[in-house]
Amino acid sequence: MSHLLVIGASSGIGLEAVKLALAAGHQVRAFARSADRIHISHENLERFRGDALDPGSVRKALAGVDVVVQALGVPLNLRMVTGPVRLFSEATAVLLPAMHAAGVSRLLAVTGFGAGKCREHVSPLERIPFELVLGRAYRDKDLQEAMIEASGLDWTIVRPGMLTHASASGRYRVLVRPEEWRNGVIARADVAHFLIHEIEAGELVHQAPVLIH
């Protein structure tokens, strides 16, 4: 079993990954500014309160772990639409050198459909609303992905489609080849399911699949 560091563990995909990793028998260090609000009781869970932009916090959190899951998110609000978004690239700029220094090589990072090389696969009908609502955040995710790809780590970038709160089904598509990439919906819990499976199987190192139902 692995010892996981989940960054962004207090909600969304990160929280779902914590739950599934514990159920699968892994040790989990759940990293978030609000880690004390993670209401899960498990002998293999360690809540770690920290800031993903603080190098000291990240260095401490990496001690003794085998795998990092980076599942950061920003709230969908007016600030995300109109203001600069730098969380994804700045947190990654902190994480990557810290992983090298700690000797941790395995990274799974969640971005989203439309980030990086799959931007050109956003359909013409989606492009204008995508750019208006998500453009700033996804330009920052472009930087995040480029940094990860150049890092020399054993990375997998995970690009889910539109996220839902549905329960995990275990039935979803993993689109690896660029000619397959398209948007769709997927439950956060199913993205977490893929993350834990990939940690255990290691089938898509240096790949960036799109996940949809």
Side-chain angles (χ1 to χ4, degrees):
M1 295 293 105
S2 296
H3 189 178
L4 279 61
L5 170 62
V6 180
I7 299 176
S10 61
S11 63
I13 293 167
L15 181 58
E16 295 297 330
V18 169
K19 295 174 183 176
L20 290 180
L22 291 170
H26 299 289
Q27 289 183 276
V28 179
R29 182 171 294 150
F31 183 106
R33 285 181 296 179
S34 56
D36 54 340
R37 299 179 189 173
I38 299 173
H39 300 302
I40 300 172
S41 179
H42 199 285
E43 62 183 0
N44 288 337
L45 173 65
E46 176 190 355
R47 298 171 188 83
F48 191 105
R49 188 174 181 181
D51 185 342
L53 300 177
D54 175 44
S57 291
V58 174
R59 284 195 300 268
K60 290 177 183 177
L62 284 165
V65 305
D66 308 305
V67 182
V68 176
V69 173
Q70 187 191 49
L72 296 169
V74 294
L76 181 56
N77 56 27
L78 185 61
R79 182 177 178 182
M80 191 194 82
V81 174
T82 62
V85 177
R86 300 190 183 97
L87 172 66
F88 305 107
S89 62
E90 290 184 354
T92 301
V94 170
L95 175 63
L96 298 180
M99 288 183 65
H100 280 292
V104 181
S105 63
R106 188 68 171 113
L107 171 63
L108 294 92
V110 181
T111 60
F113 179 81
K117 296 182 180 72
C118 73
R119 177 72 57 85
E120 63 190 61
H121 296 268
V122 176
S123 72
L125 288 176
E126 293 175 307
R127 283 176 191 163
I128 292 176
F130 179 92
E131 180 60 29
L132 288 174
V133 177
L134 300 174
R136 287 173 172 80
Y138 271 69
R139 281 190 288 277
D140 196 47
K141 291 187 179 191
D142 293 344
L143 295 175
Q144 175 191 17
E145 289 200 3
M147 294 164 66
I148 291 169
E149 290 174 355
S151 68
L153 297 173
D154 296 328
W155 53 266
T156 301
I157 293 170
V158 183
R159 297 166 172 158
M162 294 180 288
L163 298 168
T164 74
H165 292 291
S167 301
S169 68
R171 298 186 300 274
Y172 50 87
R173 300 181 65 190
V174 181
L175 309 179
V176 178
R177 298 192 304 273
E179 60 268 25
E180 298 178 310
W181 291 343
R182 62 181 180 83
N183 203 3
V185 299
I186 186 166
R188 289 172 175 84
D190 276 327
V191 180
H193 180 277
F194 170 81
L195 290 169
I196 305 310
H197 170 78
E198 176 57 22
I199 287 168
E200 296 169 348
E203 298 169 338
L204 295 175
V205 175
H206 296 159
Q207 299 288 335
V210 170
L211 302 186
I212 58 172
H213 283 307

